[in-house]
Amino acid sequence: MARRALITGITGQDGSYLAEHLLSEGYEVWGLVRGQANPRVSRVRRLLQDVQLVRGDLLDQGSLISAVEKVQPDEVYNLGAISFVPMSWEQAELTAEVTGMGVLRMLEAIRVCSGITAARGAGSGQIRFYQASSSEMFGQVRETPQNERTPFHPRSPYGVAKTYGHFLTQNYRESYGMFAVSGILFNHESPRRGAEFVTRKVSLGVARIKLGLATELRLGNLEARRDWGFAGDYARAMRLMLQAAEPEDYVIGTGRTQSVRELVEAAFGAAGLDWERYVVCDQSLHRPAEVDLLCADPKKARTQLGWEPTVSFEELVAMMVESDLTLLAGGGDPHQDSSWP
Ligand code: NAP
Ligand code: G4F
């Protein structure tokens, strides 16, 4: 019988790639969607016709219990979150509730629906749980590159909320014997990335300038460094973690790091433009506390899961610029659901 997966965050970038991957692996895939008439659901319906939808919200414990009862999943992937770091300063409490407490509610839904207690434990045939942890937890990094043993020092309310979810996942594994794991994922991008994140902001900015739709691109800190990979590669890693013999946490990244300045140079270069003529540094886009440098050590994932990234930084940037040039040249609107390639 096909394995059944429940994905929270199905309307987001990662939810779409994970759903496609699981469908290709023969899974029956269910996506949790929130809201009375969530406009982003049409994306899922258009792109992922075989995904079944169930209503629920990470803010609502009862809805998660109902969703788990209805779907009876073998695997739950908790990707739902407020994921944009700057928003976590503006709405810190909501971020804590969704990105942090949402993990507790999802784990509790699984525990209650499975009849797990500390005395009885999880046993075999249990629901396997994946938590979308983040390299933002490393924050002000204590060592480079960062691996599974690097201490955390989060620098934003988002990073703090993710750190809570991370330790809680570990705690449910230790307290109840649940197969609960965290993927500590470094930044991953794609043509489906939200327009507010820097890679997509840059690829859209380049496309607008190239097509004569804009004359400048305003950015914040150009010196921050990130380990950027392709989202499709990272979706494969999520599934692999839930197929492992033992529940363990893994760092997922490329092992390379680039500055925002290098990203900008590569993206404008891909369109034959000189970035220095168009980029304007805007102090108001700097963050109250910055994560200066992220660089993964993905050795454990490589040796234990056989996971490797397949798309280089240069290929990723070129893919995003090309996609946005095609989108905007065809009159597409990046904020419309129909824009997803
Ligand atoms: P994304 O595109 O921003 O998607 C976030 C998803 O969370 C959306 O589907 C959103 O659904 C859902 N969501 C928000 N509030 C919710 C709520 N109250 N209840 C249920 N769902 C809710 O993020 P992403 O890039 O795909 O990232 C997926 C996960 O990985 C997130 O947890 C993120 O923090 C984490 N992560 C991402 C990266 C990265 O580089 N992309 C790296 C490390 C970790 P709506 O349509 O309802 O808003
Ligand atoms: O693209 P970003 O907004 O991503 P950030 O903050 O690294 O977070 C992303 O990756 C995390 C994993 O490490 C995820 F957990 C999280 O959910 C999200 O997906 O910013 C990247 C860097 C920052 O240092 C920021 O200061 O780019 C810098 N930056 C410079 N100018 C900018 C801008 N970021 C944005 N969004 N917009 C700018 O104009």
Side-chain angles (χ1 to χ4, degrees):
M1 222 170 69
R3 284 185 79 70
R4 202 172 299 145
L6 173 61
I7 302 174
T8 74
I10 190 82
T11 57
Q13 170 190 258
D14 289 10
S16 74
Y17 283 103
L18 178 63
E20 278 174 351
H21 178 57
L22 294 179
L23 287 169
S24 77
E25 292 287 332
Y27 280 66
E28 180 181 321
V29 180
W30 288 76
L32 185 92
V33 292
R34 69 180 171 131
Q36 199 171 314
N38 184 336
R40 294 167 77 190
V41 167
S42 61
R43 262 184 201 173
V44 181
R45 294 229 185 272
R46 191 180 62 80
L47 200 72
L48 304 162
Q49 285 98 352
D50 294 333
V51 170
Q52 303 181 67
L53 301 180
V54 57
R55 215 187 284 280
D57 194 309
L58 288 167
L59 295 172
D60 184 334
Q61 178 72 75
S63 73
L64 300 180
I65 292 174
S66 300
V68 171
E69 271 174 352
K70 178 173 177 173
V71 175
Q72 299 278 313
D74 300 296
E75 299 174 9
V76 172
Y77 295 86
N78 186 38
L79 311 185
I82 288 179
S83 75
F84 187 45
V85 173
M87 185 167 155
S88 76
W89 279 284
E90 290 162 15
Q91 298 187 15
E93 188 178 340
L94 185 64
T95 303
E97 281 292 341
V98 178
T99 305
M101 287 292 287
V103 186
L104 173 65
R105 295 190 189 99
M106 198 67 239
L107 282 165
E108 274 296 286
I110 294 170
R111 191 185 68 76
V112 168
C113 292
S114 309
I116 297 169
T117 62
R120 198 172 315 132
S124 60
Q126 58 174 298
I127 300 172
R128 295 188 169 205
F129 175 78
Y130 172 87
Q131 168 57 18
S133 283
S134 165
S135 51
E136 270 287 305
M137 300 186 305
F138 295 123
Q140 189 139 303
V141 299
R142 307 277 178 88
E143 61 182 355
T144 297
Q146 296 86 44
N147 63 37
E148 292 78 6
R149 292 173 306 285
T150 302
F152 299 140
H153 182 154
R155 295 272 283 167
S156 61
Y158 168 83
V160 174
K162 280 288 177 190
T163 306
Y164 170 78
H166 182 84
F167 281 127
L168 195 76
T169 302
Q170 193 176 313
N171 179 257
Y172 270 55
R173 181 164 80 214
E174 293 172 2
S175 304
Y176 301 112
M178 285 171 67
F179 196 109
V181 307
S182 287
I184 307 174
L185 271 52
F186 284 62
N187 299 50
H188 44 279
E189 320 292 317
S190 74
R192 297 180 197 163
R193 186 56 144 151
E196 63 275 29
F197 298 94
V198 75
T199 51
R200 189 76 197 286
K201 185 173 172 183
V202 169
S203 63
L204 280 165
V206 167
R208 286 194 187 101
I209 290 169
K210 183 75 180 174
L211 297 170
L213 304 170
T215 53
E216 65 172 35
L217 175 62
R218 303 188 83 80
L219 292 172
N221 181 10
L222 297 185
E223 307 315 324
R225 301 185 74 87
R226 290 291 183 275
D227 178 330
W228 279 295
F230 171 56
D233 283 338
Y234 291 53
R236 277 191 294 112
M238 295 175 198
R239 191 188 80 85
L240 286 173
M241 281 180 228
L242 290 198
Q243 315 314 310
E246 297 297 330
E248 291 182 35
D249 304 330
Y250 294 87
V251 156
I252 302 294
T254 70
R256 285 179 67 193
T257 182
Q258 265 90 18
S259 65
V260 174
R261 184 184 298 274
E262 287 164 334
L263 162 72
V264 165
E265 204 173 338
F268 278 81
L273 298 171
D274 173 8
W275 71 275
E276 290 183 280
R277 291 183 54 201
Y278 305 102
V279 171
V280 177
C281 290
D282 185 338
Q283 198 60 36
S284 73
L285 295 171
H286 284 239
R287 298 176 180 187
E290 178 63 281
V291 171
D292 296 320
L293 164 66
L294 291 175
C295 183
D297 172 3
K299 191 159 61 230
K300 181 179 175 188
R302 192 165 55 234
T303 53
Q304 294 192 20
L305 300 176
W307 179 83
E308 295 276 359
T310 65
V311 178
S312 71
F313 170 75
E314 293 76 12
E315 289 167 338
L316 174 66
V317 172
M319 176 204 299
M320 292 179 71
V321 169
E322 196 179 313
S323 172
D324 281 330
L325 277 168
T326 306
L327 173 70
L328 298 188
D333 175 352
H335 300 290
Q336 290 298 313
D337 297 325
S338 55
S339 74
W340 266 19

